[in-house]
Amino acid sequence: MPVESLDLSAAAPAAPICVARINGVAVHGESESLAAEELRQRACTELLRQAAIEAGLLAAADVASADGVISEAASCAIEALLERDLHSPEPSDEACRRHHAAHEAAYRSGERVRLRHILFAVTPGIDVVALRQRAEACLLDVRCHDGKASAGNRFAVAASELSNCPSGERGGELGWLGTSDCAPEFSREIFGHSEVGVLPRLVHSRFGLHVVEVLERDPGVAQSFESVRGAVANALRQQAFVTALRQYLRLLAGKATVEGVDLDAADTPLVQ
């Protein structure tokens, strides 16, 4: 049956959104549809807010937020809670040296990449599920052409037709970029790697979802361990903090009544 002949007025109404709750407290509005990552973010923040109240660090009268923005008092209380309850060991010199040897590329100076992208922007009110589906379809399309003679033109056409970035008019070209030229979450996905070509995954940033093709890499100059010792130690401290935070949140979730959200998903930042 042709699409034009379908009676859309007879379509079944959309299923109501299941509101996610922590111990009965909603973390979003009844009409608000969130990406899985943001939903977990809000749920974990609410777990910590309630834990701060239980610990006596936050007044019980503090009002929960259904829009993801907690009060300043709650933010301070959560910070105090984590400082009190999370204890991470200081990385040893040996651990720092091993980390540096295994991640030498991440500590190079002057690394640059030449790339192009197709941006699927996340804007207020957008259907993030449909947006991801469009981005994944685009990624599959350009990946299927990667390595073929037509690959360059196919990516450029897709960028001009689909990208929400002004670079779409140039086929998605962004030119040569350094780490300071990109949002931190974007940089982590691009720099310190050896991949060239269309990346096999969507890259997430505060702007939305990106289909990315790395055209060239300039690896920069390797730095000695002594010159980046401080940065290596900070990286290991951050890793230890994230691990401890995940374990802490799992303990809180195990004691709570969690509805409508999966807090066990791997590789998801649980709290900013």
Side-chain angles (χ1 to χ4, degrees):
M1 177 185 296
V3 173
E4 292 78 2
S5 67
L6 291 177
D7 182 8
L8 298 181
S9 64
I17 295 173
C18 176
V19 176
R21 303 176 189 275
I22 301 297
N23 291 321
V25 177
V27 299
H28 63 94
E30 293 184 359
S31 61
E32 188 177 16
S33 177
L34 299 177
E37 293 86 351
E38 185 176 357
L39 186 59
R40 283 190 283 269
Q41 171 75 42
R42 289 197 191 181
C44 290
T45 300
E46 179 58 25
L47 275 173
L48 292 170
R49 192 192 70 85
Q50 292 183 22
I53 292 175
E54 185 177 353
L57 299 172
L58 180 64
D62 183 78
V63 179
S65 170
D67 62 2
V69 181
I70 60 176
S71 67
E72 183 176 352
S75 179
C76 293
I78 289 173
E79 184 176 347
L81 177 75
L82 297 180
E83 184 175 350
R84 187 195 74 174
D85 291 353
L86 296 191
H87 305 285
S88 302
E90 186 67 13
S92 66
D93 185 73
E94 180 184 358
C96 288
R97 289 182 181 276
R98 286 199 306 267
H99 178 82
H100 176 259
H103 302 87
E104 182 269 342
Y107 297 96
R108 286 180 170 267
S109 173
E111 181 184 5
R112 301 185 306 156
V113 296
R114 187 169 72 88
L115 57 80
R116 55 184 178 175
H117 78 147
I118 303 169
L119 171 64
F120 293 83
V122 174
T123 55
I126 196 167
D127 184 337
V128 292
V129 175
L131 182 74
R132 171 176 285 278
Q133 289 174 344
R134 291 197 298 274
E136 289 176 342
C138 176
L139 174 61
L140 179 61
D141 179 45
V142 296
R143 284 275 291 171
C144 287
H145 286 81
D146 198 20
K148 298 179 181 179
S150 61
N153 185 59
R154 184 70 197 99
F155 196 103
V157 169
S160 65
E161 293 178 349
L162 303 174
S163 184
N164 299 131
C165 176
S167 65
E169 298 179 358
R170 305 185 301 274
E173 289 270 1
L174 293 176
W176 284 98
L177 301 175
T179 55
S180 62
D181 298 320
C182 310
E185 65 275 14
F186 188 87
S187 291
R188 285 193 293 270
E189 291 287 336
I190 303 299
F191 295 92
H193 303 282
S194 59
E195 299 164 303
V196 174
V198 179
L199 300 187
R201 60 191 178 278
L202 293 174
V203 175
H204 297 241
S205 82
R206 65 196 64 183
F207 305 108
L209 305 173
H210 307 253
V211 176
V212 176
E213 180 179 18
V214 176
L215 300 170
E216 294 182 76
R217 287 186 181 273
D218 176 357
V221 179
Q223 301 293 299
S224 67
F225 171 71
E226 286 71 21
S227 66
V228 295
R229 182 194 300 264
V232 173
N234 283 335
L236 290 182
R237 290 189 194 101
Q238 179 63 21
Q239 287 181 9
F241 175 81
V242 170
T243 298
L245 178 57
R246 289 181 184 278
Q247 293 172 345
Y248 187 64
L249 285 165
R250 288 192 185 100
L251 289 174
L252 294 180
K255 299 175 183 177
T257 300
V258 179
E259 305 171 74
V261 56
D262 177 15
L263 297 182
D264 294 325
D267 301 325
T268 299
L270 297 180
V271 66
Q272 294 176 348

